[in-house]
Amino acid sequence: MRLRIAFCFSLGAIAALAFIAPLTAQQPYQPVSVSASEYALAETRLTAATNTLVSGGSVNANWLPDERMWYRRTIPGGSQVILVDPARKTSVVCNATMSNCAGVPATANTAVPGGRGGRGGGGGGRGGRGGADAGPPLAMSPDGKLGAFIKDWNLWVRDVATNRDRQLTTDGSKYFGYATDNAGWTRSDRAILLWSPDSKKIATQQQDERNVREWHMTNVRVGQPVLQSWPYPLPGDSVVAMVHRVIIEVETGKMIRLKLRPEYHRATLGDDISMSDYKWSPDASRLALASTSRDHKITTMRVADAVTGDVRDLFTDTVATHFESRTGWRVLWDSNELLWYSQADDWGQLYLHDLTTGRLKNKVTSGEGPVTQVVHLDEKARTLWYMANGREPGQDPYFAHAYRVGLDGKGAVSLTPDDGSHSVQLSPSGKYLVDTYSKAEVPPVVAIRDAAGKLVLALEQMDISKLVAAGWKPPIRITMKADDGKTDIYGMMFLPTNLDPSKKYPIVNQAYPGPQSGSVGSRAFSAARGDRQALAELGFIVVSIDGRGTPGRSKSFHDHYYGKMGRDNTIPDQVAGMKDLARQYPYIDIDRAAMWGHSGGGFITAGAMFHYPDFFKVGIAESGNHDQRLYEDDWGERYQGLLTGNADGTDSYSVEANQEYAKNLKGKLLLAHGTLDTNVPPENTMVVVDALIKANKDFDLLMIPNAGHGYGSASNYMMRRRWDYFVQNLLGAEPPKNYEIGRQVTP
């Protein structure tokens, strides 16, 4: 571990050199032109180039019954299988036949580890779910014998052994189908359902969109365009998607409709249906479920009888803004209890409820910093392992750490004390855990710890020597004051490799406002973070800041601009943070400030240009949801509240819409959108275009034919246009003409 510490210090020393403030007056960094070779250098900072320069630093734990563990280590020209014995504090490189590694499968040298790893967590963001190209995507039963799929709005099952299909439901019809996956903003052919543990029942819903208003798009082609239409409800619509909850007995096809009124297409974990809101009892006699109101302010916990369809309400969790669950909820069927996530004390905590009465028994977790993940729940040992942010004094409040606590709320133990953001994989008994931790400037370190969090054995460390040799430098973790002058906000700053501290550089804010995520993303090590470092290499200081209104901290922090999505949208904190940085780092030219962002980041960028026209000189708004009345109902209604009308003919959303302030534009603004964006329809950008034209404002527009929300094959083109726009309008320089990212030979 000494080598690791010395290495970290060396990285810190390298980064510190960039902080030295000049003692003489500074001149603007303003080249006449930026060359193709400089663009090529920027390309070397993108993921495709940097990921090939790092190796190691990851462990996929495969635990054996005796709690030894094996994993695959990548080495030059191949890989090794490593057997670890935590009890003896040893690790052994296995030979080709595994003769020196008893218990490790003989196929370990050829098998790809995975699926048998320790308990840990993964995550996901907003996006559609795809299926296989050949045939319908199958939702497999626990025993692996049957696969469920949708055909003609009905639910079918396929016998894997015989490849024979059998129809389970017969009354499904267009837009009133079983297990359908359509949230408006995303849709797929995958069957959304939950099999019972015994593979004999399916819990799902019949989704009613028959009278939901449709959205229409056509492609760009020579000849007659092809029309696509699908239900896409909007905030304030009188009819939105509703779900009828059902249980289906697979062998007979018998339908048990739960005795509930149709419920809104909502979830505790996000703005699409989540089968995590269903939990089967081990004997499949009961089904626990959570129901969420249209505005996400009320969540009701229920238990249904899987035979009769009777439903019993346990309790209701009501909040003033919006309910969210970062961890989901768990049922302890044997002890008749429920583990519930709540932000009642302004932090995300876990609470234990009685499953019969719904009564609160006790608080399980406590302290400042939100719980973010349930790693493992041992019902017999009455012990919970979980991840939480901001609970280690003196560390970045976004760093994730692992903890253990009894279900009675007693005996809490910090398991991963090292400074950094952690992820863990737990052994079957919980006696050991594999701990991976890192920071933006410190590559991943992997070690085994015991049940008390004590270091047992160091395993791996990522080798970034080639990355450093190629000129890579880590982003700088930054701390600023929010617009209130009191609240600390955090972010990352990216500097040109050849920074000259005697000059002043334009500042570009790469922003995403939330509320479901923030600008920075993971605090763990990454060789590249989009094109932020690449853009910095062209002569900019690039920053990302998580202002108030983003998650990962307190409930009140997250709710900062609830109901004010356009007027605030964390923009005041972004401006205050940028000004604070200019005071801390004199090489930042705050008079040349810019912003760019995608999706919600496009929304905030246009808003920044319109609300702070004298501060932001240049902006690039990509695929922005500029008016929530033109975006799917669940997102706006969750974070802005239900749409209500005003006496003057306006409504509660109009004051938040970007086009209402387009007349304020003074700087250079590039708007971009894909013409087949089924997530954020391009009309969101066109209403801003319309307002700018009516206000007689100059602006730039790039519509990418047949591109979706992420631009697909045109993403590199959009990146190059983004670089060009800042070079031209913020540096006042000439970019290389028609540079093509991905085709140049980089130095």
Side-chain angles (χ1 to χ4, degrees):
M1 299 299 285
R2 291 179 181 172
L3 289 176
R4 176 186 66 81
I5 294 170
F7 182 61
C8 296
F9 283 167
S10 66
L11 277 178
I14 292 171
L17 293 176
F19 301 167
I20 300 173
L23 299 177
T24 58
Q26 294 167 294
Q27 298 299 317
Y29 174 76
Q30 199 162 3
V32 174
S33 64
V34 176
S35 67
S37 62
E38 290 172 283
Y39 268 49
L41 172 64
E43 266 201 83
T44 67
R45 308 308 186 209
L46 299 175
T47 300
T50 57
N51 278 359
T52 62
L53 300 178
V54 301
S55 62
S58 66
V59 168
N60 190 328
N62 294 265
W63 296 97
L64 299 174
D66 58 3
E67 297 210 312
R68 292 179 300 151
M69 181 271 290
W70 66 271
Y71 67 96
R72 186 190 303 274
R73 171 190 292 162
T74 301
I75 59 174
S79 63
Q80 298 172 328
V81 174
I82 310 298
L83 176 63
V84 180
D85 188 337
R88 297 183 177 181
K89 300 183 179 182
T90 61
S91 63
V92 176
V93 178
C94 301
N95 60 34
T97 62
M98 302 294 157
S99 60
N100 65 329
C101 293
V104 178
T107 57
N109 266 324
T110 56
V112 176
R116 293 187 292 131
R119 304 180 183 101
R126 178 157 237 218
R129 294 182 291 265
D133 293 332
L138 300 178
M140 297 304 300
S141 60
D143 62 12
K145 295 180 179 180
L146 297 173
F149 64 96
I150 300 170
K151 180 180 179 182
D152 298 328
W153 305 95
N154 282 293
L155 196 60
W156 294 60
V157 290
R158 175 170 298 165
D159 187 298
V160 174
T162 65
N163 207 36
R164 292 180 179 176
D165 296 340
R166 177 164 55 90
Q167 190 169 355
L168 289 182
T169 67
T170 58
D171 61 337
S173 59
K174 184 177 181 180
Y175 297 152
F176 194 30
Y178 288 93
T180 54
D181 181 22
N182 179 37
W185 65 275
T186 181
R187 64 193 194 275
S188 81
D189 296 328
R190 182 180 178 182
I192 305 302
L193 51 82
L194 182 67
W195 285 90
S196 63
D198 59 7
S199 300
K200 294 182 178 180
K201 297 177 182 177
I202 288 175
T204 188
Q205 51 277 320
Q206 189 175 13
Q207 184 169 330
D208 189 356
E209 301 173 284
R210 289 171 293 181
N211 296 309
V212 173
R213 293 195 294 181
E214 291 187 330
W215 203 279
H216 310 281
M217 286 187 184
T218 58
N219 64 346
V220 177
R221 56 176 292 185
V222 176
Q224 198 79 5
V226 176
L227 174 69
Q228 59 170 304
S229 304
W230 73 100
Y232 192 107
L234 297 173
D237 281 0
S238 59
V239 179
V240 296
M242 306 295 288
V243 294
H244 302 243
R245 303 188 190 275
V246 301
I247 293 172
I248 303 169
E249 295 182 357
V250 177
E251 185 174 345
T252 64
K254 180 182 177 181
M255 175 82 65
I256 299 98
R257 292 189 175 273
L258 301 192
K259 296 176 183 178
L260 290 169
R261 292 180 179 179
E263 299 192 301
Y264 290 104
H265 182 283
R266 300 290 187 265
T268 62
L269 290 173
D271 46 359
D272 194 1
I273 287 176
S274 171
M275 298 315 296
S276 294
D277 277 339
Y278 289 122
K279 299 286 189 298
W280 281 105
S281 64
D283 63 0
S285 66
R286 290 177 291 169
L287 180 71
L289 64 142
S291 303
T292 300
S293 64
R294 177 169 178 169
D295 59 6
H296 284 267
K297 292 184 178 181
I298 303 171
T299 300
T300 303
M301 191 62 225
R302 299 178 161 124
V303 177
D305 187 306
V307 177
T308 66
D310 292 332
V311 178
R312 174 171 52 87
D313 288 0
L314 294 180
F315 61 86
T316 296
D317 196 336
T318 303
V319 298
T321 53
H322 65 95
F323 175 86
E324 68 166 348
S325 177
R326 288 283 160 179
T327 67
W329 47 276
R330 306 289 190 279
V331 178
L332 292 72
W333 293 102
D334 289 343
S335 58
N336 205 41
E337 294 168 309
L338 174 79
L339 188 68
W340 186 252
Y341 180 94
S342 172
Q343 295 174 306
D345 71 351
D346 200 35
W347 300 104
Q349 307 284 10
L350 294 166
Y351 297 78
L352 201 62
H353 289 255
D354 186 285
L355 193 60
T356 299
T357 65
R359 179 182 59 85
L360 174 63
K361 298 182 69 173
N362 62 268
K363 191 176 185 179
V364 178
T365 64
S366 59
E368 294 188 358
V371 176
T372 58
Q373 178 192 336
V374 172
V375 176
H376 178 55
L377 174 59
D378 189 326
E379 297 184 42
K380 292 182 179 179
R382 306 287 296 173
T383 303
L384 171 73
W385 288 260
Y386 65 96
M387 304 295 295
N389 288 356
R391 299 197 171 195
E392 298 299 313
Q395 295 194 30
D396 187 315
Y398 292 93
F399 282 174
H401 287 266
Y403 302 88
R404 188 187 74 247
V405 68
L407 288 180
D408 58 2
K410 299 177 181 179
V413 177
S414 173
L415 300 174
T416 56
D418 283 19
D419 189 6
S421 197
H422 296 249
S423 63
V424 299
Q425 300 167 76
L426 201 63
S427 70
S429 72
K431 187 176 180 180
Y432 301 104
L433 60 84
V434 175
D435 173 25
T436 302
Y437 63 99
S438 65
K439 294 187 282 190
E441 71 278 17
V442 178
V445 174
V446 189
I448 286 190
R449 297 184 180 275
D450 64 17
K454 183 179 178 181
L455 179 66
V456 173
L457 187 66
L459 296 180
E460 300 287 334
Q461 178 177 311
M462 178 179 284
D463 181 359
I464 66 167
S465 57
K466 292 181 180 178
L467 186 67
V468 173
W472 176 88
K473 65 190 313 179
I476 300 166
R477 292 186 288 122
I478 49 178
T479 304
M480 302 137 285
K481 291 297 182 184
D483 186 56
D484 62 1
K486 299 181 296 184
T487 305
D488 284 336
I489 54 177
Y490 299 82
M492 290 186 185
M493 182 167 68
F494 303 77
L495 307 179
T497 301
N498 62 350
L499 178 83
D500 182 349
S502 69
K503 297 186 181 298
K504 294 179 77 73
Y505 294 78
I507 180 171
V508 178
N509 186 332
Q510 196 274 306
Y512 191 90
Q516 81 277 14
S517 62
S519 299
V520 177
S522 172
R523 263 56 181 186
F525 178 88
S526 181
R529 297 174 186 270
D531 70 336
R532 281 172 270 200
Q533 183 60 45
L535 185 59
E537 298 292 2
L538 301 180
F540 305 100
I541 307 299
V542 179
V543 299
S544 287
I545 301 168
D546 284 338
R548 290 172 297 171
T550 53
R553 294 173 69 176
S554 67
K555 173 66 171 168
S556 55
F557 187 95
H558 190 192
D559 284 345
H560 172 68
Y561 64 81
Y562 175 85
K564 300 178 294 180
M565 292 190 65
R567 289 169 292 168
D568 189 309
N569 209 10
T570 198
I571 301 174
D573 282 355
Q574 301 294 324
V575 173
M578 294 168 74
K579 290 180 177 178
D580 193 349
L581 288 174
R583 289 187 288 268
Q584 296 180 50
Y585 304 98
Y587 46 73
I588 292 177
D589 187 349
I590 200 63
D591 292 326
R592 289 188 288 169
M595 179 180 283
W596 84 268
H598 187 91
S599 192
F603 176 31
I604 186 180
T605 297
M609 296 295 293
F610 301 156
H611 290 290
Y612 290 82
D614 294 317
F615 180 77
F616 288 103
K617 305 304 190 295
V618 183
I620 302 175
E622 301 178 7
S623 304
N625 51 314
H626 300 286
D627 187 336
Q628 306 322 309
R629 295 168 297 184
L630 288 171
Y631 190 43
E632 58 101 2
D633 62 323
D634 197 2
W635 199 77
E637 293 182 347
R638 181 182 185 188
Y639 297 116
Q640 180 64 28
L642 298 181
L643 188 147
T644 57
N646 301 320
D648 62 359
T650 62
D651 57 53
S652 57
Y653 280 44
S654 59
V655 71
E656 313 300 337
N658 274 341
Q659 70 269 19
E660 299 297 324
Y661 307 94
K663 62 182 179 292
N664 298 332
L665 178 66
K666 292 183 179 180
K668 297 289 294 185
L669 174 63
L670 170 61
L671 297 164
H673 221 114
T675 65
L676 283 183
D677 188 338
T678 57
N679 181 339
V680 179
E683 284 78 2
N684 277 267
T685 287
M686 298 314 294
V687 295
V688 177
V689 168
D690 182 54
L692 288 166
I693 291 172
K694 289 176 178 176
N696 196 34
K697 295 294 181 178
D698 292 337
F699 64 97
D700 295 291
L701 176 66
L702 175 59
M703 301 299 291
I704 304 178
N706 301 323
H709 193 55
Y711 305 147
S713 61
S715 59
N716 279 351
Y717 176 80
M718 183 69 239
M719 188 189 306
R720 192 268 291 176
R721 291 293 303 272
R722 185 163 62 241
W723 296 359
D724 287 356
Y725 203 75
F726 285 131
V727 167
Q728 290 171 322
N729 297 297
L730 201 59
L731 279 182
E734 189 65 26
K737 191 170 182 61
N738 297 329
Y739 185 90
E740 189 171 0
I741 295 175
R743 292 292 183 91
Q744 307 298 317
V745 178
T746 56

